[in-house]
Amino acid sequence: MQKQNPENLIPLVKELERYIALKDKRNDAVSKSDVAWQIDHSLKVLNLVTNSIIHSNPEDYKWRFNKWRLLLFTLGYIPRGKAKAPKIVKPPEVITLDDLKAQVQLAYNNVERLKPLNKNASFTHFVFGQLNRDKTIQFLKLHTNHHLKIIKDML
């Protein structure tokens, strides 16, 4: 398996950060949410997943085949509207500029925290199952790109 570099997440966080200025834009033909929702959700996922994997026990990791992980990670694509965001990563009703900026800074810090992790540090996703460090980084790239594409289509 190809080693995933956490540094590859930095340009994605920077891109999310650039869209903050357009946070109130919406396009109901593309999404029921606004740009702020997409940014907030993406950052919540990145930050909470990072926190989860950092606090995992590498000895608990066990690889298991998962057809959805194989298919979607190979395609590099998450289809729209097929999964609902878990409550913990749903944005609040009011998303403030200060909160988005704080989450961006936390995301930059969390990318750094991914670098020294054991290859078997893991995160369990509700569809893709248990993901080791490299698959978690791959998931974060896939997920963030998914929401960046939605933002671009909205604008």
Side-chain angles (χ1 to χ4, degrees):
M1 178 177 72
Q2 181 183 352
K3 183 170 170 28
Q4 294 287 322
N5 185 348
E7 283 290 322
N8 294 336
L9 294 167
I10 295 289
L12 301 177
V13 175
K14 284 184 179 183
E15 194 170 353
L16 288 170
E17 186 176 20
R18 284 193 299 271
Y19 285 120
I20 290 175
L22 303 170
K23 74 180 195 71
D24 297 323
K25 300 279 186 191
R26 59 183 322 117
N27 181 340
D28 291 336
V30 175
S31 175
K32 293 178 183 132
S33 64
D34 58 13
V35 170
W37 192 100
Q38 301 293 330
I39 296 168
D40 188 272
H41 169 70
S42 297
L43 292 168
K44 276 183 173 36
V45 168
L46 194 149
N47 289 324
L48 289 169
V49 167
T50 300
N51 195 51
S52 177
I53 193 172
I54 287 167
H55 292 98
S56 71
N57 180 353
E59 293 176 18
D60 293 340
Y61 176 70
K62 284 250 191 286
W63 182 89
R64 287 187 179 82
F65 176 78
N66 180 296
K67 68 179 179 183
W68 294 114
R69 180 180 63 228
L70 177 64
L71 177 66
L72 298 177
F73 280 37
T74 301
L75 293 173
Y77 170 76
I78 297 174
R80 290 188 189 172
K82 298 298 180 195
K84 295 284 184 217
K87 189 176 182 178
I88 193 166
V89 289
K90 280 192 178 175
E93 286 291 319
V94 176
I95 302 167
T96 68
L97 192 59
D98 287 343
D99 190 44
L100 289 176
K101 288 179 180 180
Q103 287 186 79
V104 164
Q105 289 312 307
L106 182 58
Y108 286 128
N109 292 339
N110 279 333
V111 168
E112 292 300 315
R113 295 172 71 202
L114 286 170
K115 291 177 183 178
L117 290 182
N118 182 294
K119 67 180 177 135
N120 287 330
S122 63
F123 157 72
T124 302
H125 185 272
F126 69 105
V127 172
F128 301 132
Q130 196 175 31
L131 307 174
N132 67 5
R133 179 199 61 211
D134 288 347
K135 285 295 180 188
T136 297
I137 293 167
Q138 189 177 0
F139 161 72
L140 290 170
K141 287 173 20 187
L142 189 66
H143 182 266
T144 306
N145 274 316
H146 170 75
H147 288 281
L148 284 167
K149 286 177 192 171
I150 293 171
I151 291 169
K152 289 172 192 168
D153 287 352
M154 291 170 76
L155 299 172

